[in-house]
Structure formats: C-alpha cells, structure tokens
Amino acid sequence: MSSNSAGYERLTARMALQLAAPHTWPAAIMPCLIAVCAAATHTGASALLACVLLAICLLMQSAVNTFNDYYDFVKGSDSVRDAVEASDATLVYNNVNPRAALMLGIGFLAAAFALGGYVIAEAGLIPLAIGLIGALFVVLYSAGKTPISYLPLGEIVSGFVMGGLIPLACYQALTGDLNWLMPLWAAPEIIGVGLIMMTNNTCDIDKDIAAGRKTLSTLLGRPRARRCYRFAVIVWMAAIVVLCATTFPQGLVMLPFMLLACWPLAKALLANPLVPASRVAAMGQICSMNIALGAFHAAMIAACGLCIVW
C-alpha cells in the first residue's frame, strides 16, 4: 500500500504484519478454539466453517491492533523515548503515512465482514449481529475523544469482547444454538485476554500517566496493580479447574499435565516486576500462558468427545 503524500515511505508487507501484531493473536485464537471444541463435543462442527471463523477473529484482532497503533501515534502517545521495540511501534520508527495504517485497519475489518458473508449463509444473521457489536468496540477502543483504552475499562471490554463474544458467536455459527452458557464456559479466556491488556498497561503506567490515560493500572498504582494482576493469574488457572470439574469432568484427566506444563510459565509471569524494561518479556510470558492454558482448556472440553465433520 503506498501513501498519497510525497516524502512518505511505502507501507510494506512486513510493516503491515507488524501492525497486525501476530504476538497478540492468541487473544483471538484461543476463544475461537474453545467454541469449536465445545461445539464439536455437543453437536459436531464443520471444519471449513471453523477455519473461516478463525480467519475472521484474526482479522478483527489485527484491526484492533492497527487502529490502536494509528491513534496512539497521531495523538502523540507513542514516541521513540518509550517504544521498546521497533517492531512494536511501526509508525514511530518508519516514515510511513499514518493514513496508510488507518486504511489497513479498515481493510482488516472489511475483509472480516466479507468472510462473514459465508458465515451468514451457513448460520443466519445472529453471528453478524454479534460481529457488529464486536466491530463497534473495535472502533471505540481506540477512536474518539475519550477512547476505551484511555479508561479503566480496557481489561473488562477486551476480555468480554474477545473472550466472551467470540466464543458465543462461533458456537452459535457452528451449532445454530445461541447458548448463553458459552461465555461462562469461556470465562478463563475472558480473564486471560483481560490479563494481556493489564500486562501492557501495568508496564506502561508511567507512559500512560504522561499521556493522560486513566487505565485500571494507573488508578491502582504499580504495587497494587501487581498484586491484583497476580491474584487474577491464580484465579485464571483455578477457573479452568472448577469449570472442567463441574461441566466437562472427563477433561480432568488433563489437569496434572496442565499444572506441570503451565506452572513454570506462571512462576515466571508472577515474578515479572511489570516495569517498562520487562515489558517485552512480560508480553511474551502472558501470550505464552494464554496459548498453554487455552490449549489445555480446549483439550479438557474435547476429552468429552469430539464429532468434527467436513
């Protein structure tokens, strides 16, 4: 995608991928996987439809990341002083027309809704309605005079939309059943996605205060934010155990493996000071935890019996 103004460099495919921020994609992949496993266990699931739903979720997540980078850049929230990695601040470190990034984000959303045409044909209008709600939050998260990212609501909104609405929409599309228990079954994903946001916000407290952001972490202060964060990590793991014990008991055979595999990750995450210097490590740790716990959560559900159709 080339810029329209002289003096700007072209937005390359590498830069577009950086703006999409693949390291955050577990926030979209794991909630979708939970819904696919739940649908396959209860009624059976179309593999093709599941792949289309996953693609839509990834495009929506990429749109969120791109819009967030665009609005942070144009508002001056991101600068060379506090951007710890060039790949994490594409617009700061490259002379690219920010409008090109805005159009890329719109393109991600448009592609998601284009793929949604297939989902609508297969499952009706309910997934579209849920998708429109999600798209609204995508825009409100970064855009506007007071975006959600500037309020102490980011963790709740991102957790609810990505961890709750995605499983609800995917489950309905795959089964035809708008089952309101699905967000409950996906409660650990809501916590996990919210913690991705809290990891970033706690590391960026000083930067956010300077930018006028009133995130949950800035209101709590770093010591209390760290305590709240560590408590939420423990609750996250406990929620998987409790949900599987009460809803998918056959999956408890996976519990010892989950604890053995995830405890080293959890230990490192709990020990992270969540300061700017440890931000890169913290984001890697929380995304790895989302992958590991999400995979075991999905496996516990799948242990109840899968029926996947092509």
Side-chain angles (χ1 to χ4, degrees):
M1 182 184 300
S2 61
S3 63
N4 294 324
S5 302
Y8 284 117
E9 297 176 7
R10 183 174 61 89
L11 180 64
T12 65
R14 177 183 61 83
M15 294 176 192
L17 185 62
Q18 289 175 352
L19 287 166
H23 64 280
T24 68
W25 287 356
I29 295 171
M30 292 303 141
C32 183
L33 178 61
I34 295 299
V36 170
C37 288
T41 297
H42 289 139
T43 65
S46 163
L48 176 59
L49 184 55
C51 289
V52 172
L53 289 167
L54 175 59
I56 292 171
C57 293
L58 292 178
L59 287 166
M60 295 283 280
Q61 178 68 36
S62 298
V64 171
N65 296 332
T66 304
F67 285 140
N68 197 45
D69 278 8
Y70 166 78
Y71 283 106
D72 279 352
F73 179 75
V74 298
K75 290 178 180 179
S77 300
D78 284 344
S79 68
V80 175
R81 294 191 310 276
D82 48 40
V84 292
E85 268 194 336
S87 61
D88 198 35
T90 302
L91 297 179
V92 171
Y93 286 96
N94 296 276
N95 183 33
V96 177
N97 190 338
R99 183 170 175 79
L102 176 61
M103 297 309 296
L104 177 67
I106 294 172
F108 284 140
L109 270 184
F113 277 94
L115 286 176
Y118 172 74
V119 177
I120 292 169
E122 292 291 317
L125 294 175
I126 292 178
L128 173 62
I130 298 174
L132 287 172
I133 295 172
L136 176 63
F137 279 109
V138 165
V139 175
L140 292 178
Y141 181 81
S142 300
K145 185 177 180 181
T146 308
I148 292 172
S149 63
Y150 277 62
L151 302 172
L153 300 173
E155 290 83 359
I156 295 173
V157 171
S158 62
F160 172 72
V161 173
M162 303 299 294
L165 287 186
I166 282 179
L168 179 64
C170 290
Y171 186 87
Q172 194 283 329
L174 291 165
T175 66
D177 177 20
L178 187 63
N179 191 334
W180 293 101
L181 286 175
M182 189 64 244
L184 175 62
W185 297 337
E189 310 314 307
I190 295 175
I191 299 171
V193 172
L195 280 171
I196 293 177
M197 181 62 56
M198 193 172 186
T199 303
N200 183 74
N201 288 346
T202 304
C203 291
D204 286 349
I205 283 178
D206 298 330
K207 168 186 168 182
D208 288 343
I209 290 174
R213 277 181 164 158
K214 294 179 173 61
T215 66
L216 177 62
S217 295
T218 62
L219 294 181
L220 290 174
R222 198 180 304 278
R224 285 191 295 177
R226 277 198 294 250
R227 288 196 294 270
C228 179
Y229 182 88
R230 291 163 181 165
F231 176 73
V233 170
I234 300 301
V235 170
W236 181 18
M237 299 179 71
I240 295 176
V241 177
V242 171
L243 276 170
C244 287
T246 57
T247 310
F248 303 100
Q250 295 94 328
L252 285 177
V253 67
M254 303 283 183
L255 179 58
F257 301 98
M258 184 188 83
L259 295 176
L260 287 171
C262 295
W263 179 243
L265 291 172
K267 186 177 179 182
L269 189 61
L270 292 170
N272 194 298
L274 301 179
V275 295
S278 67
R279 180 180 179 275
V280 173
M283 289 302 293
Q285 289 162 356
I286 189 61
C287 288
S288 295
M289 273 290 282
N290 267 271
I291 293 170
L293 287 180
F296 276 105
H297 185 191
M300 289 179 176
I301 294 173
C304 291
L306 289 176
C307 178
I308 299 180
V309 297
W310 292 88

